[in-house]
């Protein structure tokens, strides 16, 4: 489904696929990557994704897409998606998410 599947753990890959579904219009995953993350009490992953829409949306539609991405319930096994930040410009959407591993 996406060329980055082999580069992401199963949970992160599911989050990215869910993000594509949330966008609700044709898009291409330009880049997706993860890196380990930990605090004094939690561990998990930091996920970064760049999506390119096939058509440039109106600015207000792009803001609505970013808001949907930030407010979605991702419901991924083994992880809590704790923080999602999305920023769009023209046809590009840059997304960062924090996935905290469930105990």
């Amino acid at each position: 489904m996406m060329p980055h599947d082999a580069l992401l753990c199963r949970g992160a890959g599911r989050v990215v696929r869910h993000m594509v579904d949330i966008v609700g219009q044709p898009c291409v995953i330009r880049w997706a990557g993860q890196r380990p993350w930990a605090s004094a009490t939690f561990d998990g992953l930091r996920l970064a994704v760049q999506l390119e829409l096939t058509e440039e949306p109106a600015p207000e539609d792009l803001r609505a897409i970013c808001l949907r991405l930030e407010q979605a319930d991702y419901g991924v096994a083994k992880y809590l998606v704790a923080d999602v930040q999305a920023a769009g410009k023209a046809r590009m959407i840059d997304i960062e998410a924090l996935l905290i591993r469930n105990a």
Side-chain angles (χ1 to χ4, degrees), residues 3 20 25-31 49-54 92:
V20 169
Q25 58 182 281
C27 64
V28 175
I29 300 165
R30 285 287 168 215
W31 190 87
V49 180
Q50 185 177 65
L51 302 177
E52 182 178 4
L53 305 173
T54 57
M92 305 302 285

Side-chain angles (χ1 to χ4, degrees), residues 1-21 27-34 47-51 95 99:
M1 175 178 271
M2 79 180 195
H4 303 284
D5 268 344
L7 303 176
L8 300 174
C9 73
R10 184 176 294 167
R14 287 183 180 149
V15 170
V16 172
R17 286 189 292 278
H18 193 168
M19 288 174 174
V20 169
D21 291 342
C27 64
V28 175
I29 300 165
R30 285 287 168 215
W31 190 87
Q34 69 183 39
L47 177 65
V49 180
Q50 185 177 65
L51 302 177
I95 309 162
L99 284 66

